Amino acid sequence: MSAPSFGPGFTLRLAPSFTVLVLLGPVMAGIAGVTLPAFGYLPILGGTGFTLAPFRDLAAIPGIAQSAALSFASALITAFCPFALVQLFVAA
């Protein structure tokens, strides 16, 4: 029985998988780093269990709904203005 050959074909076959791993690894770590504390799991600050308390605390902040609505509206307006300008340019 001979040992497996690790020639150029082997490395090329692994290149797509390796590329996906290299690109998605930091993204997944970032998502976990944001999601876990959002649900109350942050051991360094004493949060050792999952809870919805951070969301309740956020909802209890006065004016948070108005702030979120204002941010959403400004994002829509900011996206619509360049779109409208391009449409006017193309129509001309």
Side-chain angles (χ1 to χ4, degrees), residues 51-75:
T51 177
L52 294 177
F55 291 105
R56 282 192 293 266
D57 295 341
L58 180 66
I61 296 174
I64 193 73
Q66 184 180 1
S67 296
L70 181 63
S71 294
F72 186 70
S74 66

Side-chain angles (χ1 to χ4, degrees), residues 1-68:
M1 188 160 186
S2 64
S5 169
F6 295 117
F10 180 76
T11 2
L12 288 177
R13 275 187 279 128
L14 289 181
S17 300
F18 181 71
T19 303
V20 168
L21 180 68
V22 166
L23 293 176
L24 286 182
V27 172
M28 296 307 285
I31 289 173
V34 169
T35 305
L36 291 175
F39 285 100
Y41 184 77
L42 192 60
I44 193 120
L45 295 180
T48 56
F50 292 99
T51 177
L52 294 177
F55 291 105
R56 282 192 293 266
D57 295 341
L58 180 66
I61 296 174
I64 193 73
Q66 184 180 1
S67 296

